[in-house]
Amino acid sequence: MSPLTTAAAALGLLAVGYALGRIRPARRASDWANLKKYDQSMRRHSLRWWAVFVVLSVENLVWLLVHPVQGWDAWNHRNDPPPPRSPAPTFDPDWAAKRRAASQEDA
C-alpha cells in the first residue's frame, strides 16, 4: 500500500469519525426510544414497539458491559429500603424575642 493511499484512508476515517461524533446516531436513537417508550398510542408488539425494545435493550447491555461494577451494585441494591428521613425542622415561637435580646447584649 502506498503512503498516499494510507494517508487518504486515514483522512477518510478521521472524517467519518468526526461526522459520527457530530451527528451522534446512538444518542439520537436513545433519545427517540426513550420518548417513544411513554407513547400511549403505540400498540404493543408493533414494529415501532420492537424497535424501541431493541434500542433500549442494546443500550442497557452496552451500559452493563462498560460499567459492570456499577451495574452489579445497582442490581444488588435495587430493593433496598429508602434511607431514613431527617427530622423535620422545628419552629421556635420566641425566635424574635431571643434575637432581639442577643442583639442588645452585643451592643
Side-chain angles (χ1 to χ4, degrees):
M1 198 182 259
S2 70
L4 187 58
T5 306
T6 305
L11 189 61
L13 286 174
L14 284 172
V16 168
Y18 177 77
L20 286 175
R22 296 292 293 177
I23 296 171
R24 295 181 168 188
R27 173 66 64 108
R28 288 177 183 236
S30 174
D31 290 346
W32 171 82
N34 279 308
L35 284 176
K36 294 297 180 185
K37 178 173 62 172
Y38 300 110
D39 187 4
Q40 298 295 321
S41 66
M42 184 169 51
R43 291 182 334 160
R44 190 173 171 96
H45 301 300
S46 65
L47 186 60
R48 189 169 54 167
W49 185 88
W50 281 109
V52 168
F53 178 77
V54 168
V55 168
L56 293 177
S57 297
V58 167
E59 182 180 340
N60 288 333
L61 288 174
V62 167
W63 191 89
L64 285 172
L65 289 174
V66 174
H67 303 288
V69 175
Q70 290 94 333
W72 182 252
D73 191 49
W75 179 262
N76 284 335
H77 296 288
R78 69 191 185 282
N79 291 324
D80 286 351
R85 294 178 60 172
S86 62
T90 57
F91 178 71
D92 184 11
D94 294 330
W95 70 272
K98 290 178 182 176
R99 182 173 177 164
R100 200 174 308 115
S103 66
Q104 288 174 356
E105 288 175 6
D106 291 340

